[in-house]
Amino acid sequence: MLIDIKDIYKIYNEGTEREVRALDGVSLQIDRGEFVAIVGQSGSGKSTLMNVLGLLDIPTYGDYHLDGLDVTGLTDKQQAHTRNKEIGFIFQGYNLLPALSAYENVELPLIYQGVRPSKRREQVQDALERVSLWERKDHKPTEMSGGQQQRVAIARAIATHSPMILADEPTGALDSRTGQHVLQILQRLYKEGTTVILITHDNGIAATAPRVVRLSDGKIVSDSTQEVDWL
């Protein structure tokens, strides 16, 4: 099992009149190699859950084991190391560094991982070729369309060979055709064995995932599997 969270709470202003339970006793297990959509409207807790799963935020209470490792008690440095090793992120806003080229944006997490230069080039080239952007490797984000920037972000996420991809509204800033292309890339990664967790408010996007977890008011209200027609 890749992800195992039990009774996770994320509480703001605990014990006051302004207390907010962004996550209210969430338990969830995700096996390695699954494609799961986590769905909910604004305020449902899905972004908070993504931040907890991605080691970007610490739960107030509860247990989280990632690939067998209890990550809730790790130091900030240990969490950062685990995050860089285990998780690739794709964000709605791309989160590319504007001063760096596509190549350099994809290379950056590999530098943090300590990958040697020759191996870095091999992994960067492979990742950019997989999203059909190797020929744009020297372009900066401002010289690329939104869809191209998102594909660079996907290349950055997969270059590290992380076992899990966390995609937060990855098509939210894209037109429908470009969004479908991004989903096709994620589906291909899933077929190759990568665990894909897709955070979305859109039921149409969620329909592309074999498993759908629905959140409301910080709680899981349904967890179901479905037959999917690949785009």
Side-chain angles (χ1 to χ4, degrees), residues 182-202:
V182 167
L183 289 173
Q184 287 170 345
I185 295 172
L186 293 177
Q187 290 160 352
R188 188 164 69 242
L189 290 170
Y190 159 67
K191 289 178 180 178
E192 294 169 357
T194 300
T195 304
V196 178
I197 301 175
L198 176 63
I199 314 296
T200 182
H201 71 280
D202 189 322

Side-chain angles (χ1 to χ4, degrees), residues 48-72:
T48 305
L49 179 57
M50 188 212 76
N51 288 337
V52 169
L53 293 176
L55 302 181
L56 298 172
D57 202 356
I58 300 171
T60 309
Y61 306 109
D63 298 312
Y64 178 15
H65 285 78
L66 176 59
D67 203 13
L69 175 68
D70 183 357
V71 296
T72 49

Side-chain angles (χ1 to χ4, degrees), residues 76 136 156 226:
D76 289 346
R136 305 277 289 181
R156 180 183 58 193
Q226 60 186 5

Side-chain angles (χ1 to χ4, degrees), residues 57-209:
D57 202 356
I58 300 171
T60 309
Y61 306 109
D63 298 312
Y64 178 15
H65 285 78
L66 176 59
D67 203 13
L69 175 68
D70 183 357
V71 296
T72 49
L74 298 181
T75 65
D76 289 346
K77 185 175 181 180
Q78 289 170 328
Q79 285 202 348
H81 174 77
T82 302
R83 186 167 57 241
N84 198 36
K85 177 184 175 184
E86 297 284 344
I87 307 167
F89 291 92
I90 303 168
F91 298 99
Q92 179 176 345
Y94 320 135
N95 285 25
L96 302 177
L97 295 178
L100 301 184
S101 67
Y103 184 101
E104 292 166 334
N105 267 286
V106 176
E107 182 185 35
L108 194 59
L110 300 176
I111 295 174
Y112 292 148
Q113 282 189 346
V115 179
R116 66 181 187 275
S118 60
K119 186 66 174 177
R120 288 204 305 264
R121 179 177 174 82
E122 178 184 320
Q123 289 178 220
V124 172
Q125 181 170 351
D126 176 67
L128 284 171
E129 285 180 344
R130 291 180 70 183
V131 297
S132 304
L133 279 180
W134 176 244
E135 75 284 356
R136 305 277 289 181
K137 64 182 183 298
D138 296 321
H139 289 70
K140 293 182 178 179
T142 55
E143 301 170 321
M144 309 177 83
S145 69
Q148 289 171 335
Q149 290 182 62
Q150 190 60 294
R151 283 152 58 198
V152 172
I154 293 173
R156 180 183 58 193
I158 66 179
T160 59
H161 298 164
S162 301
M164 176 169 68
I165 297 289
L166 267 178
D168 184 18
E169 302 280 8
T171 65
L174 307 175
D175 63 73
S176 59
R177 181 178 178 183
T178 308
Q180 284 197 343
H181 187 200
V182 167
L183 289 173
Q184 287 170 345
I185 295 172
L186 293 177
Q187 290 160 352
R188 188 164 69 242
L189 290 170
Y190 159 67
K191 289 178 180 178
E192 294 169 357
T194 300
T195 304
V196 178
I197 301 175
L198 176 63
I199 314 296
T200 182
H201 71 280
D202 189 322
N203 287 323
I205 300 297
T208 65

Side-chain angles (χ1 to χ4, degrees), residues 21-39:
R21 296 193 171 203
L23 294 176
D24 193 7
V26 171
S27 295
L28 179 66
Q29 291 75 45
I30 297 176
D31 287 328
R32 185 179 293 275
E34 281 198 84
F35 189 147
V36 182
I38 296 177
V39 191

